């Protein structure tokens, strides 16, 4: 076989392997319970909104129409989500992350192998990457803080309901004693209920803001009890027990997978540590990677392989605990 045939076969096999990896990661993402629950809730909300729009079709003729495109809806939804998970300083954190990525791009363009299209890509990609990472960090922190305070807030609602207080007033009273960020969300729900907004609409709006499966279970319990009746206090008590058990299992799996996560971080740091040590001991030996085209290709290939390896290790170390 000629070298061209070998390169063609290698490229074909590489494309197949990359496609299999992407397909596996996509299937694993779709199989996650949180994704399936969110899809079901969105489908239910779409059906309810379609039914409401059909019932209020005549009244809508007398309302001013404000066209909203997909981009406007996307921006409004993420802005609302940012205000929920980040509070008043959410936008500040994103701006600081973008400025940090922009400053890092100035350092990146000084590297000898960054030239041509990589220069504008660095100035655009690094700030965008910083914003995405900061947004995910805010989401993770909000989720952790919410799940820490949510079971205790449920206990307050349960005691109020068993004392004969309506659940709408129990939510408003629990907001005064709950911890953040549950306090803000329950206070928003209580204020909306005091204004006379329908209970189901308040729950749907809260689900859209919070986007946590445990709160979705709470919303479903309230809606089912509102439609069919039953012992709400006992149902919420079982839900609080389940949420605490899920939290304990999550913390246990986090401790069990700590070794794998630390190992992946050490493996990721080893190449940079070795490269820095070689540069300090013998700069001429390592500068070949930065001064020749073959060295640039080897660095690019090493970066791609390192990224794929770390992604696989993180997927293996991340156990699913939402079932």
């Amino acid at each position: 076989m000629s070298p061209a045939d070998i390169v063609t076969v290698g490229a074909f096999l590489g494309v197949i392997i990359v496609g299999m990896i992407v397909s596996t990661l996509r299937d694993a993402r779709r199989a996650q319970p949180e994704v399936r629950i969110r899809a079901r809730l969105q489908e239910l909300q779409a059906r309810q909104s379609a039914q409401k729009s059909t019932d209020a079709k005549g009244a809508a003729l007398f309302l001013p129409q404000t066209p909203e495109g997909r981009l406007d809806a996307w921006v409004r939804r993420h802005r609302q989500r940012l205000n929920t998970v980040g509070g008043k300083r959410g936008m500040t954190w994103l701006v600081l992350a973008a400025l940090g990525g922009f400053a890092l791009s100035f350092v990146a363009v000084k590297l000898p192998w960054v030239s041509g299209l990589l220069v504008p890509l660095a100035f655009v990609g690094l700030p965008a990457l910083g914003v995405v990472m900061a947004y995910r960090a805010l989401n993770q922190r909000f989720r952790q803080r919410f799940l820490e305070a949510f079971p205790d807030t449920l206990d307050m609602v349960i005691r109020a309901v068993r004392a004969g207080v309506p659940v709408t007033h129990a939510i408003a009273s629990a907001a005064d004693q709950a911890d953040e960020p549950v306090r803000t969300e329950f206070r928003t729900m209580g204020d909306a209920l005091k204004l006379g907004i329908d209970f189901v609409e308040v729950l749907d709006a809260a689900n859209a803001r919070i986007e946590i499966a445990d709160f979705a279970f709470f919303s479903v319990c309230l809606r089912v009890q509102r439609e069919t009746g039953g012992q709400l206090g006992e149902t919420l008590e079982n839900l609080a027990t389940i949420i605490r058990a899920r939290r304990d299992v999550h913390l246990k799996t986090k401790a069990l997978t700590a070794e794998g996560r630390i190992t992946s971080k050490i493996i990721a740091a080893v190449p940079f540590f070795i490269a820095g040590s070689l540069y300090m001991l013998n700069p001429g030996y390592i500068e070949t990677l930065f001064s020749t085209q073959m060295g640039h290709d080897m660095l690019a290939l090493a970066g791609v392989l390192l990224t794929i390896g770390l992604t696989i290790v993180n997927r293996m170390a991340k156990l699913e605990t939402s079932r």
Side-chain angles (χ1 to χ4, degrees), residues 154 157 161 167-168 171 186 189 199-200 203 215-229 232 235-236 239:
L154 278 183
V157 175
V161 170
V167 64
T168 54
I171 291 175
F186 271 62
M189 295 172 59
F199 189 51
V200 176
L203 293 177
F215 183 82
F217 298 154
F218 171 70
S219 175
V220 169
C221 290
L222 296 182
R223 295 179 64 170
V224 171
Q225 193 274 338
R226 182 182 178 87
E227 295 176 359
T228 62
L232 181 60
T235 304
L236 293 181
L239 177 61

Side-chain angles (χ1 to χ4, degrees), residues 152-175 177 186 232-234 236:
D152 297 333
T153 307
L154 278 183
D155 292 338
M156 290 186 284
V157 175
I158 291 169
R159 290 192 293 268
V161 170
R162 288 181 173 175
V165 179
V167 64
T168 54
H169 297 287
I171 291 175
S173 61
Q177 303 177 10
F186 271 62
L232 181 60
E234 183 178 356
L236 293 181

Side-chain angles (χ1 to χ4, degrees), residues 24-40:
T24 303
L25 295 178
R26 184 181 59 183
D27 294 340
R29 174 65 179 172
R30 291 178 178 177
Q32 290 182 357
E34 293 184 1
V35 177
R36 291 189 281 108
I37 292 172
R38 189 179 297 111
R40 293 175 183 175

Side-chain angles (χ1 to χ4, degrees), residues 95-236:
V95 172
L96 291 177
L99 292 177
F102 192 70
L104 186 61
S105 62
F106 277 101
V107 179
V109 296
K110 298 296 184 180
L111 299 176
W113 67 85
V114 178
S115 60
L117 295 177
L118 293 180
V119 175
L121 183 62
F123 280 104
V124 175
L126 291 179
L129 181 62
V131 171
V132 172
M133 294 179 63
Y135 182 74
R136 290 185 176 180
L138 291 175
N139 275 279
Q140 185 64 26
R141 188 189 66 170
F142 172 80
R143 176 183 176 82
Q144 183 178 358
R145 294 177 60 197
F146 189 92
L147 293 179
E148 288 178 356
F150 188 49
D152 297 333
T153 307
L154 278 183
D155 292 338
M156 290 186 284
V157 175
I158 291 169
R159 290 192 293 268
V161 170
R162 288 181 173 175
V165 179
V167 64
T168 54
H169 297 287
I171 291 175
S173 61
D176 298 331
Q177 303 177 10
D179 297 330
E180 291 291 349
V182 180
R183 178 189 304 172
T184 302
E185 298 302 326
F186 271 62
R187 184 172 296 171
T188 302
M189 295 172 59
D191 294 341
L193 293 172
K194 291 178 182 179
L195 292 175
I197 301 177
D198 185 69
F199 189 51
V200 176
E201 295 181 1
V202 172
L203 293 177
D204 292 340
N207 279 325
R209 291 195 310 270
I210 298 174
E211 296 184 2
I212 295 178
D214 301 80
F215 183 82
F217 298 154
F218 171 70
S219 175
V220 169
C221 290
L222 296 182
R223 295 179 64 170
V224 171
Q225 193 274 338
R226 182 182 178 87
E227 295 176 359
T228 62
Q231 296 293 331
L232 181 60
E234 183 178 356
T235 304
L236 293 181

